[in-house]
Amino acid sequence: MQHPLQLHSILVPAVAIGLSIAIFLGANSLPSARFEPMGPAGFPYIASAILFLLGVLDLAMSIRAAQKGQPPKDRPTPSTRGRVRAFAGAVVTIVALFLMEARFIGFVPASLVLLVGLGGVLSENAKREKLWLVVISCAVSIGTALLLTKILSVVLPGNGGFF
Amino acid sequence: MTDLLDAFGRLIGFWPLFYIGLGTILGITVGAIPGLGAAMLIALLLPLTYYMDSVLALIFLVSIYVGSVSGGLISATLLKMPGTPSAIMTTMDGFPMAKQGKAGRALSLGIFSSFIGGLISWVLLAVLSPPLATFALKFGPYEYFMLVMLAFLLIAAVSKGTVLRGLIAAALGVSVAMVGPDLSSGTLRLTFGVEPFNSGFRLLPTLLGVFVISQVIFDMLDTSAPIQQAKFRLSEMFLSAKDYTRHSVNFLRSSLIGTWIGILPGVGSAVAAIVSYSVARNTSSHPEKFGTGAEEGIVASEAANNASVNGALIPLIALGIPGSVVDAILIGALMIHNLQPGPGLFTNQPEIAYGIVAAALIANVVMFAFMLFFSGHIAKLCMIPKSMILPVVMFFCIVGVYTATGRMFDIRIMLAFGLAGYLMRLGGLPIGAFVLGYILAPFAEEQLRSGLMLYDGSLLPMFTRPIALLFLVASILIAFWPVVGPMIKRVRR
Amino acid sequence: MNKAIFTGCAFAAAIATVSAQPVFAEFPEKPIEVVVPFAPGGAGDIFARVFVNTINENNYLSQPMVVVNKPGGGTTIGSGEVKNATADGYTILQLHQTLITSHLMGTSKYGPEAFEPIAETHHVCLAYATTPETGISSLADIKAQTSAEPGSIKEATLIGSLVHFSSEMMNQAGDLGIKPVNVGGGAKRSASLLGGHTDTMITMPFAIAKPDSGFQGVAFLGAERHPSLPDVPTAKEQGIDVEACVNYWWFAPAGTPDEVVDKLAEAFAKAAADEAVMSDMAKRGITIEVYSGEELKARIADIVADYEAVAASMPN
C-alpha cells in the first residue's frame, strides 16, 4: 500500500531546489574575480550546486520511501487553543515592536505592552499570576532601561527616551 | 612556574577575588538568559574598564566569559533554549532529560562537565601555551579549510533525522551566511536589491531566531503542562565514582576537542560543542540515544564549550591573536591599557599574562561552586509559569539584538528566523547543522580563497601539506566510523 | 495590593523622567553621538575614546559625547548612517582612509566628499615588516628576490583596505613585484607571517617595536624614522618616495553649519593639546597633529588623489 507523500517530504526538497536556483541567479550578477583566482561568485555557485543535488536526492528518497509504504512520522499537531495563543502572541509582538520604533512613544511603555500583552495571552487566568506579571514587567522593563542608559550608555530605540 | 604561583598569590586579595566572583556570577546570569550574552556584556563594559586597573579589568572580563559559557546550560536544560550559542547542543539531551524528571541530574552533569572541561583545558593553557600556539600557527589556509570540511562531514550525524536532511540544513546555513557583503572583496551578494540586507544576516539575530524564538513559538502552541520537577538534594548533585569512570573518555576527549577548537581563530565555543557532540555520537555504542536524553551528549557539549574558553586564551596570551569574538574584545581591553598583545606578553608583562591564566582557573572554581550550590533554586525556574518566562525571554532577545546591532530591522530578522527555525524543525532539518553551516561557511570561504591566492590558484597543497592531509584522512575515518567500527569489531571476534 | 503596585510603577517612572537632560539654548543642547564604525577594542576605537573621554572630562563641550560602535560592511554601515543623519552636529563620524578605499573599491557609493570634515587629530605612518626567517632586510632585497623569481614574495594583506593601497603605492613606486594574498586584519596577518605562510605585511609601528615581537622592520613609510623604530630606514631613504599613513579624521554630515563644525573642531583641538592625551598617544607611537578647515580639506584632497592613482593602476 502506498502512503501518500507527506507535505514536508515534498516541501523540504522543493525549498532546497528553489533556493539553489535563486542563489544561482543571484551569483550570475556578481562581478568576476579581481585580485584572486576565485571571486565572490565562486562559493555561491558551489553552494547552489550542492543544494540542488541534495534537494534532488532528498526528493528521490522521499518518493522511494513513500512507494515502499513506509509509515509517516508521528508529529503532534497543536491544539486550537495553542494556535490562537501563538497568533495572538505574534500580533502583540508586532504591535509592541511597531510602538517601540515609533517616535511618539518611548522604550518603557512599548516594553510593557510586549511583556504584559504576551503574558496576558499566555496566562492561565490566575489572579495572582496576573499581578506578578505586571510587577515583573514593570521591574524588568524599567530596570533594563535604566541599566542601558545610565550605566552602559546605549541609545534606546524609538524616541530615544524612557517615555 | 614561579611566575604563575606569583600570579595566584597576587589574586588572593579582596578586590581581585571580588571582581572574579562578580564577573563569574554576572557571566552565569547573562549566559543563562537567552538573548543576552557575554559578547554583548563585555563589549558594553569595555569602556567602563578604561578607568580600572589593567589586571583587574582583564580578570573581570575573563571571568564573565568563563561564567557565560557555563550559564547557557541552565536555560538549555530547563527551557530548551540555549542561553548562549555554546549551549546549543546541550538542549539536545539536557531538555529531554529534564522532561523525564531528571533535571537535577542533567544540571549536575552539565556543571561537572563544564568544570572538568575547564580544568583539563586550563592545564594545557598554563603549561603548554607557547608550544600549542606556535603549532597552531602552522595552520595555513588549506589546513583550516580541511578542518572545516571535517566539521561538515560530522554534521551529517549531528542530531535526529536523516543524513541528507542534516546536509540540507547545513547547506541552508551556508546560503544564509552568504547574504550580504563578501568578506574578502566587500561585494554585496544575494541581497536581491533589498537594502537592509546589505549588512547580511548577523550572528545574534540569526541564532536567537532559530533557537530561542522558534522554541518560544513551540511553547506558545503547546498547551500541555510544564515540566514536573521532583525535588532533589545537594548530595544527589554530585557525580558518583562510577559516573567518573563511565564518562572518563568522554571528559578527556571532549576537553581536548574543545581546547583545540578554541585555539583556532574565529571558530568559537558553539562549534566546539557541535563538533564534540558529533564525535561523541559517532563513536558511541548507543548513538540512537543521543537526542533523547543521553548523558554522553551533555558531557560532550559542556566539557567542550568550557574547554574552548581556555583554548581561546592560548593564542591570545601567547601570540596576541584572538581565538574568538570575545577574545577580540579582550585584546581591545589589553590595548586600552596600552598593553601590547603578542609573543612578548609573557616576557614583557608576565603579571598580566599569568594573571589572566590564574584568573581563568579561579573563575572556573567559582562557577562550579556557585552553580552547584544554587542548582536547586535554579531548577525551580522551570516551575515559573510560561506566561512570565516567555515574555521576559522575548524581551531580552529584543534588547540583546538591539544592543548588539543598533537596528530594529535586525529584530524583525530575528523573528523571521524564529519562524524559519520553527518550520525547519517541523521539516526534520536539524538546527545544529544549520548553525554549523552558518558559522563556518564564511570562515571556510575566506580560507579557500586566501589559499588559492597564496598557492597561485593550486588546490594541490590540500593533499600534499601534511596537516591538511591528516584532516582529510581523519574526516573520512570519523564520518565512516559508524560503518567501519562495527565491521572492525566483527573481525576481532 | 493593586494600588501598591501601581504607585510603585508610577514612582519609578517619575524618577526616570526627572533624570532626563535639561535643555540649553545653543549647540550642543543634547549629547553628541560619535559613530565609530569598528568593533569595540580595535585600534581606531581606542584612539577615538581617548579623545572623547578627554573632551567629556574637561567639559570642552557643554554636552557629553557618546561613542557608539557600529561595525560592519567594512565601516560602510557606520559611515552610511552618519552620511544620512541630520546635519545638525549631533551625529559625527570617526574614520580614516578606509572612507576613501571603500569608495574606490565600490563597497560604498560615497567618499569623503559626502561629509564635512571637522578635524584631523592624529595620524600614524605605517611600517613594512617581515620575520627573521625570510632573510629580507631591505626593500632592495625584495626587488632582488622578485627579479630572480617573480611572484616569490607574498604579502599578507587585506585586499581593498588602506593597508593594501599603501602597500601598492610602495609596490608600484619601487617596481617591487610583491604578490598580495588576502589574509585579513592585523592579528591574522601577524599569524600568517609568524607561521611562515607569507613573507611580508604592512602594520602599525607599535606592533613590531618591542624586541620580542617576532617581527623586524624593513621600511617605515613616514617622512622620518619612527621614534620607536630607530633602526628601520624610511622608504625614502631606500630610494622609494612614498609616504603612507593612517590619518584619523572626524566628519560631520555634509551641510552641517559652519559654527557647529568650528565648535567641534575647537573641542578636538583642545583635547589634542591635553597633556594626558599627548603622553598616552606618544606611548602608543601615534603622532598628534591637528588640522582643520581649508587646510584639512586640501590635505584630504591630496590623499584622495594619491589613492585614486593607485586604484587606476590596479587590475580590473
Side-chain angles (χ1 to χ4, degrees):
Chain A
M1 185 168 70
Q2 202 183 45
H3 280 261
L5 275 180
Q6 274 197 297
L7 187 63
H8 82 89
S9 306
I10 303 189
L11 213 57
V12 169
V15 164
I17 295 175
L19 262 176
S20 72
I21 297 176
I23 296 174
F24 182 79
L25 293 174
N28 278 348
S29 60
L30 290 173
S32 53
R34 224 175 131 177
F35 297 96
E36 45 186 337
M38 180 163 104
F43 235 59
Y45 278 130
I46 297 175
S48 160
I50 293 181
L51 202 51
F52 185 78
L53 266 165
L54 289 174
V56 166
L57 259 170
D58 191 271
L59 189 61
M61 290 191 66
S62 301
I63 295 177
R64 221 179 65 160
Q67 281 176 338
K68 275 192 178 169
Q70 280 169 10
K73 284 205 202 117
D74 196 5
R75 275 182 215 289
T77 41
S79 62
T80 322
R81 197 171 122 233
R83 286 184 217 236
V84 167
R85 268 199 340 192
F87 183 72
V91 169
V92 167
T93 310
I94 294 175
V95 167
L97 281 176
F98 173 73
L99 287 174
M100 227 183 257
E101 249 180 304
R103 304 254 146 187
F104 52 80
I105 196 174
F107 179 73
V108 172
S111 307
L112 281 173
V113 166
L114 178 77
L115 288 163
V116 176
L118 276 180
V121 162
L122 288 163
S123 77
E124 307 281 321
N125 287 323
K127 200 128 201 268
R128 255 192 127 218
E129 199 179 295
K130 292 204 159 126
L131 245 43
W132 271 114
L133 183 65
V134 175
V135 170
I136 292 184
S137 303
C138 279
V140 162
S141 55
I142 293 180
T144 311
L146 278 172
L147 188 70
L148 288 178
T149 48
K150 300 303 169 193
I151 303 190
L152 299 173
S153 333
V154 173
V155 179
L156 292 175
N159 64 8
F162 262 47
F163 295 103
Chain B
M1 212 32 175
T2 42
D3 278 324
L4 186 57
L5 290 173
D6 282 341
F8 272 113
R10 267 190 298 271
L11 290 184
I12 311 292
F14 176 72
W15 281 114
L17 288 179
F18 170 75
Y19 275 111
I20 295 180
L22 178 66
T24 313
I25 294 177
L26 270 179
I28 295 175
T29 312
V30 157
I33 301 177
L36 308 180
M40 180 197 91
L41 187 63
I42 293 182
L44 291 173
L45 289 175
L46 194 67
L48 291 180
T49 61
Y50 198 83
Y51 300 104
M52 287 170 64
D53 166 78
S54 36
V55 177
L56 287 181
L58 283 164
I59 63 179
F60 180 50
L61 296 176
V62 169
S63 306
I64 294 179
Y65 189 20
V66 170
S68 74
V69 164
S70 312
L73 75 89
I74 295 176
S75 50
T77 310
L78 300 177
L79 300 174
K80 208 182 179 190
M81 299 181 205
T84 52
S86 55
I88 286 173
M89 298 320 279
T90 316
T91 58
M92 305 275 170
D93 289 283
F95 184 72
M97 251 183 118
K99 248 179 129 177
Q100 294 159 18
K102 296 192 279 179
R105 175 82 179 152
L107 283 176
S108 77
L109 273 171
I111 296 172
F112 270 86
S113 305
S114 297
F115 181 58
I116 294 180
L119 269 184
I120 296 181
S121 61
W122 188 85
V123 170
L124 293 172
L125 168 69
V127 175
L128 289 178
S129 274
L132 276 177
T134 315
F135 179 64
L137 280 180
K138 299 238 186 325
F139 276 55
Y142 282 165
E143 279 79 12
Y144 283 122
F145 184 72
M146 272 297 143
L147 199 55
V148 173
M149 290 299 110
L150 171 61
F152 275 128
L153 278 172
L154 286 171
I155 289 174
V158 148
S159 88
K160 296 188 272 201
T162 64
V163 172
L164 205 45
R165 290 276 159 102
L167 288 172
I168 292 182
L172 286 179
V174 171
S175 313
V176 164
M178 283 193 299
V179 175
D182 162 31
L183 275 180
S184 313
S185 68
T187 324
L188 285 176
R189 300 193 293 190
L190 304 181
T191 57
F192 297 108
V194 180
E195 218 206 291
F197 285 170
N198 286 0
S199 52
F201 297 125
R202 307 265 265 269
L203 182 81
L204 203 58
T206 313
L207 287 196
L208 283 179
V210 297
F211 276 104
V212 181
I213 305 293
S214 67
Q215 186 59 35
V216 169
I217 297 178
F218 267 112
D219 285 337
M220 290 221 263
L221 288 169
D222 177 15
T223 47
S224 62
I227 312 168
Q228 287 314 307
Q229 173 52 36
K231 283 210 186 284
F232 56 97
R233 295 187 303 272
L234 185 60
S235 52
E236 286 173 4
M237 291 290 290
F238 283 82
L239 297 189
S240 65
K242 216 167 50 156
D243 287 323
Y244 283 113
T245 39
R246 192 168 3 132
H247 293 296
S248 57
V249 174
N250 199 354
F251 280 137
L252 188 61
R253 181 189 61 222
S254 306
S255 305
L256 290 176
I257 292 179
T259 312
W260 183 246
I261 296 201
I263 293 181
L264 305 175
V267 187
S269 54
V271 173
I274 296 176
V275 171
S276 171
Y277 186 90
S278 311
V279 173
R281 181 180 155 144
N282 279 9
T283 53
S284 151
S285 32
H286 297 286
E288 68 287 350
K289 280 211 187 134
F290 278 69
T292 61
E295 300 195 342
E296 299 166 57
I298 301 178
V299 169
S301 166
E302 284 301 316
N305 67 23
N306 275 67
S308 75
V309 171
N310 285 339
L313 285 176
I314 292 179
L316 178 78
I317 301 182
L319 300 169
I321 293 164
S324 77
V325 170
V326 176
D327 292 282
I329 304 179
L330 286 177
I331 286 201
L334 280 170
M335 288 188 59
I336 282 183
H337 296 272
N338 219 345
L339 299 163
Q340 188 51 40
L345 195 67
F346 272 116
T347 34
N348 295 327
Q349 235 104 28
E351 71 279 1
I352 300 279
Y354 286 109
I356 296 179
V357 173
L361 182 65
I362 302 181
N364 200 25
V365 172
V366 170
M367 175 275 297
F368 178 64
F370 180 79
M371 285 180 79
L372 204 61
F373 284 111
F374 285 100
S375 51
H377 300 282
I378 293 172
K380 293 215 183 85
L381 280 179
C382 62
M383 305 277 261
I384 300 183
K386 276 187 202 175
S387 63
M388 291 204 257
I389 287 210
L390 293 185
V392 171
V393 165
M394 181 71 101
F395 174 74
F396 279 122
C397 284
I398 292 177
V399 167
V401 166
Y402 187 77
T403 324
T405 65
R407 301 191 314 170
M408 290 299 290
F409 186 77
D410 285 315
I411 298 179
R412 294 195 272 271
I413 299 231
M414 174 181 76
L415 295 177
F417 271 110
L419 189 59
Y422 173 72
L423 293 171
M424 282 203 290
R425 283 160 126 166
L426 283 187
L429 293 167
I431 307 224
F434 174 83
V435 165
L436 200 68
Y438 171 79
I439 294 183
L440 288 181
F443 182 60
E445 179 181 15
E446 199 187 341
Q447 298 303 321
L448 179 63
R449 286 163 75 170
S450 183
L452 283 170
M453 283 182 93
L454 185 57
Y455 298 113
D456 299 309
S458 163
L459 288 173
L460 197 60
M462 274 192 210
F463 306 100
T464 53
R465 284 176 68 96
I467 300 181
L469 188 60
L470 180 69
F471 284 130
L472 187 58
V473 171
S475 47
I476 296 177
L477 269 177
I478 299 225
F480 289 107
W481 188 254
V483 174
V484 170
M487 269 169 39
I488 295 182
K489 285 195 188 127
R490 250 179 272 142
V491 165
R492 281 228 188 101
R493 279 201 219 111
Chain C
M1 183 68 172
N2 274 328
K3 271 200 194 155
I5 296 171
F6 181 77
T7 319
C9 276
F11 193 60
I15 297 182
T17 323
V18 159
S19 53
Q21 307 277 1
V23 175
F24 289 106
E26 47 164 65
F27 182 84
E29 294 177 22
K30 53 177 186 156
I32 299 166
E33 192 178 295
V34 178
V35 173
V36 169
F38 323 108
D45 175 63
I46 293 177
F47 306 150
R49 287 180 191 272
V50 168
F51 281 91
V52 167
N53 287 346
T54 311
I55 292 180
N56 288 342
E57 276 159 30
N58 295 306
N59 288 315
Y60 291 144
L61 288 170
S62 53
Q63 288 287 320
M65 281 185 149
V66 177
V67 170
V68 178
N69 294 89
K70 299 229 160 158
T75 73
T76 55
I77 297 206
S79 62
E81 270 200 35
V82 177
K83 168 178 161 288
N84 297 329
T86 332
D88 54 9
Y90 290 107
T91 316
I92 63 178
L93 176 72
Q94 217 283 319
L95 192 50
H96 42 53
Q97 276 92 330
T98 305
L99 186 57
I100 305 174
T101 57
S102 312
H103 189 202
L104 291 173
M105 293 298 292
T107 317
S108 73
K109 298 197 177 73
Y110 50 85
E113 76 288 345
F115 298 88
E116 185 68 38
I118 302 172
E120 174 181 325
T121 42
H122 52 295
H123 68 267
V124 58
C125 293
L126 297 166
Y128 200 64
T130 184
T131 47
E133 288 78 43
T134 59
I136 299 172
S137 52
S138 70
L139 294 174
D141 283 344
I142 294 182
K143 183 105 203 256
Q145 229 179 300
T146 56
S147 307
E149 235 187 287
S152 56
I153 302 275
K154 301 252 174 17
E155 173 171 318
T157 187
L158 179 57
I159 299 273
S161 68
L162 66 90
V163 160
H164 180 209
F165 272 75
S166 303
S167 172
E168 276 298 298
M169 264 191 238
M170 199 182 64
N171 204 12
Q172 282 166 24
D175 196 22
L176 295 174
I178 302 168
K179 266 206 73 181
V181 174
N182 196 27
V183 171
K188 290 189 183 167
R189 299 200 295 273
S190 300
S192 181
L193 249 74
L194 289 174
H197 305 288
T198 44
D199 307 299
T200 59
M201 71 172 179
I202 290 229
T203 184
M204 303 246 192
F206 60 72
I208 61 174
K210 290 251 167 71
D212 291 325
S213 68
F215 302 104
Q216 63 189 36
V218 176
F220 180 65
L221 303 176
E224 297 165 356
R225 297 195 182 196
H226 195 268
S228 70
L229 301 171
D231 300 321
V232 179
T234 63
K236 285 197 178 136
E237 282 176 55
Q238 299 187 52
I240 299 184
D241 186 15
V242 163
E243 262 182 59
C245 312
V246 184
N247 302 71
Y248 291 88
W249 297 310
W250 306 84
F251 290 106
T256 309
D258 286 339
E259 319 85 64
V260 170
V261 172
D262 288 338
K263 251 202 165 157
L264 290 167
E266 205 189 307
F268 283 119
K270 281 193 205 160
D274 183 281
E275 286 267 342
V277 170
M278 293 181 86
S279 72
D280 188 342
M281 291 305 215
K283 264 191 258 163
R284 298 175 193 272
I286 313 290
T287 319
I288 301 234
E289 222 173 270
V290 181
Y291 295 85
S292 60
E294 290 307 315
E295 203 189 350
L296 175 61
K297 289 188 185 163
R299 190 170 158 86
I300 295 181
D302 279 343
I303 295 179
V304 170
D306 284 340
Y307 274 62
E308 278 173 349
V310 175
S313 51
M314 276 181 173
N316 249 7

